[in-house]
């Protein structure tokens, strides 16, 4: 009783961090005990680590209340999700002695590496971390109503990665996390100039080496806060087909307004993304470990502003129905953190 009374006297402060290729985005919400957002702000720092400015900024916000929750979106290269929860099934895909995983809603699992989590522990040692969220969990949260329907592919586009997952009626069939940083500038030109077969070889070389995934013991996992109760995630607003179509149109309009230099860069990146997605789908169809089913639709959560080219590639080359929606990653991470405490 006294704890509840004491908690009602202070704001809950949610500090949410998303690290991109070259910067860190910090989004903060201060909420009343009733869950109302009293104040929110977002700042971007030109660092992928925790420098003095970022540390002082987080420290200053943390002084606002004794109830502070710091969350990070997992950007590990060696991470993924699997259509199983039991050790015997998971061992068909990864080395269980060199990876840590959690089961989501007793249906599928997501994993990441001990090395990456140890890195986070060192980087955020002075600020602390309460939650580390998998992009696969975020993706399933963002498209929750769509995932519960027919076979579809869902893609989270980040800088510099792709999170790909195929669901049927809420059941995960296939997933892959793809790191675009493994593709050099020289490879950019090769992707544009060489044939499709050679493109596939290049992308396969840049895929995640599951043998290198490490394990995190239970004590170390506790240091990062509670990330196990993800099955209590609250439902989000329904996505209507009309909104999907509207966002497709807005994507096309925005693509027409960019400068020629930006368009060229966007073409290269979106062509890379297309080839990676194509390779990922081929893995799903050909690997006997997965329950392969024909994919007709793809839903893209776009955090970087992809051009209309990506949509066109997927439609014309893979005959997919494509729906593109903007996603604000730091705010989605904040929603996940709040759902953990609900």
């Amino acid at each position: 009783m006294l704890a509840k009374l004491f908690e009602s006297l202070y704001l809950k402060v949610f500090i949410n961090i998303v690290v991109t290729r070259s910067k860190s985005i910090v989004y903060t919400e201060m909420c009343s005990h009733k869950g109302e957002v009293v104040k929110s702000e977002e700042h971007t720092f030109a660092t992928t680590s925790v420098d003095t400015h970022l540390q002082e900024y987080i420290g200053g916000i943390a002084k606002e209340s004794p109830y502070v929750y710091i969350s990070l979106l997992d950007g590990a290269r060696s991470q993924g999700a699997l259509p199983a929860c039991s050790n015997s099934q998971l061992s068909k895909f990864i080395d269980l002695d060199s990876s840590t995983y959690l089961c989501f809603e007793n249906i599928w699992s997501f994993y990441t590496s001990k090395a990456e989590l140890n890195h986070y522990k060192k980087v955020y040692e002075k600020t602390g971390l309460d939650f580390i969220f998998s992009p696969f969990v975020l993706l399933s949260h963002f498209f929750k109503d769509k995932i519960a329907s027919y076979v579809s592919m869902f893609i989270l586009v980040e800088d510099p990665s792709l999170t790909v997952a195929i669901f049927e009626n809420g059941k995960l069939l296939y997933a892959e996390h793809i790191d675009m940083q493994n593709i050099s500038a020289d490879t950019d030109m090769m992707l544009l100039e060489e044939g499709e077969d050679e493109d596939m070889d290049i992308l396969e070389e840049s895929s995640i080496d599951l043998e290198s995934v490490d394990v995190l013991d239970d004590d170390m996992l506790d240091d990062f806060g509670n990330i196990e109760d993800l099955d209590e995630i609250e439902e989000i607003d329904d996505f209507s087909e009309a909104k999907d179509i509207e966002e497709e149109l807005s994507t096309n309009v925005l693509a027409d307004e960019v400068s020629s230099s930006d368009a060229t860069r966007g073409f290269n990146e979106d062509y890379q993304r297309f080839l990676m997605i194509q390779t990922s789908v081929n893995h799903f169809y050909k690997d006997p470990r997965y329950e392969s089913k024909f994919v007709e639709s793809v839903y893209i959560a776009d955090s970087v502003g992809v051009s209309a080219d990506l949509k066109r590639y997927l439609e014309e080359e893979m005959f997919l129905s494509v729906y593109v929606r903007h996603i604000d990653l730091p705010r989605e991470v904040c929603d996940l953190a709040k759902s953990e405490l609900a």
Side-chain angles (χ1 to χ4, degrees):
M1 184 67 179
L2 289 177
K4 287 290 184 181
L5 178 61
F6 184 73
E7 184 177 345
S8 66
L9 299 176
Y10 293 93
L11 296 175
K12 286 185 178 179
V13 180
F14 296 90
I15 302 174
N16 312 278
I17 306 169
V18 174
V19 180
T20 70
R21 192 193 308 257
S22 59
K23 60 187 178 182
S24 295
I25 304 169
V26 181
Y27 172 70
T28 302
E29 279 189 6
M30 298 184 182
C31 302
S32 68
H33 70 282
K34 295 182 179 180
E36 300 170 341
V37 179
V38 177
K39 180 182 178 182
S40 66
E41 61 183 42
E42 181 174 305
H43 288 273
T44 301
F45 297 84
T47 178
T48 58
S49 184
V50 180
D51 61 10
T52 303
H53 296 295
L54 180 55
Q55 182 181 327
E56 291 177 351
Y57 175 75
I58 294 176
I61 296 176
K63 293 178 181 178
E64 298 286 335
S65 171
Y67 298 99
V68 179
Y69 306 94
I70 302 177
S71 303
L72 176 71
L73 181 62
D74 189 4
R77 295 183 180 183
S78 297
Q79 64 170 300
L82 296 168
C85 277
S86 68
N87 286 5
S88 60
Q89 291 175 309
L90 292 173
S91 62
K92 299 176 183 179
F93 300 90
I94 59 174
D95 182 358
L96 296 179
D97 292 331
S98 61
S99 63
T100 182
Y101 66 91
L102 291 173
C103 191
F104 183 82
E105 296 184 345
N106 296 318
I107 301 176
W108 54 275
S109 301
F110 57 94
Y111 67 88
T112 192
S113 74
K114 174 184 175 182
E116 296 284 359
L117 290 180
N118 285 341
H119 173 70
Y120 292 147
K121 184 177 181 180
K122 293 178 181 179
V123 169
Y124 295 94
E125 180 179 8
K126 294 183 178 180
T127 63
L129 278 178
D130 296 286
F131 304 108
I132 300 175
F133 291 109
S134 166
F136 292 96
V137 173
L138 186 146
L139 186 62
S140 67
H141 181 221
F142 187 69
F143 284 125
K144 188 168 186 176
D145 65 325
K146 301 298 183 183
I147 284 173
S149 59
Y150 50 88
V151 179
S152 296
M153 178 166 55
F154 301 87
I155 302 171
L156 173 61
V157 180
E158 295 183 70
D159 177 19
S161 66
L162 295 176
T163 299
V164 180
I166 298 175
F167 283 89
E168 179 188 28
N169 299 324
K171 177 184 178 181
L172 179 69
L173 302 180
Y174 176 84
E176 184 176 1
H177 183 76
I178 305 169
D179 178 27
M180 287 188 65
Q181 289 190 98
N182 284 341
I183 299 183
S184 65
D186 292 338
T187 305
D188 281 351
M189 297 306 299
M190 294 176 66
L191 288 171
L192 293 172
E193 295 174 358
E194 295 184 357
E196 182 176 311
D197 291 338
E198 293 181 359
D199 289 330
M200 293 306 173
D201 291 338
I202 293 170
L203 291 172
E204 288 175 357
E205 290 175 3
S206 67
S207 61
I208 296 172
D209 179 12
L210 297 183
E211 297 298 326
S212 65
V213 179
D214 295 312
V215 66
L216 179 68
D217 58 68
D218 292 337
D219 292 336
M220 296 176 68
L221 186 59
D222 289 340
D223 291 339
F224 287 91
N226 178 17
I227 60 175
E228 298 185 14
D229 297 328
L230 295 174
D231 56 334
E232 298 180 2
I233 291 176
E234 297 176 349
E235 291 192 3
I236 58 176
D237 294 337
D238 289 343
F239 294 115
S240 67
E241 294 298 331
K243 289 183 179 179
D244 289 328
I245 295 173
E246 288 175 4
E247 293 201 32
E248 289 182 60
L249 294 175
S250 65
T251 301
N252 293 338
V253 172
L254 289 173
D256 291 336
E257 295 176 352
V258 299
S259 66
S260 58
S261 59
D262 288 341
T264 301
R265 179 175 55 82
F267 168 80
N268 292 342
E269 292 182 351
D270 283 337
Y271 188 61
Q272 291 175 10
R273 293 184 180 112
F274 160 68
L275 290 173
M276 292 176 182
I277 294 168
Q278 189 177 55
T279 301
S280 187
V281 172
N282 286 338
H283 289 165
F284 170 60
Y285 286 148
K286 296 178 180 179
D287 193 325
R289 296 175 298 176
Y290 297 103
E291 184 182 350
S292 299
K293 295 190 177 181
F294 185 67
V295 178
E296 295 183 356
S297 302
V298 56
Y299 294 87
I300 298 176
D302 174 24
S303 72
V304 300
V306 298
S307 71
D309 290 323
L310 178 59
K311 180 176 181 294
R312 178 170 57 83
Y313 297 145
L314 294 170
E315 289 177 337
E316 295 180 359
E317 300 297 329
M318 299 181 66
F319 308 105
L320 294 168
S321 297
V322 183
Y323 305 92
V324 180
R325 302 205 66 187
H326 172 71
I327 183 171
D328 191 320
L329 287 178
R331 284 170 173 78
E332 289 297 321
V333 171
C334 186
D335 287 346
L336 289 177
K338 288 191 287 187
S339 70
E340 284 289 294
L341 301 176

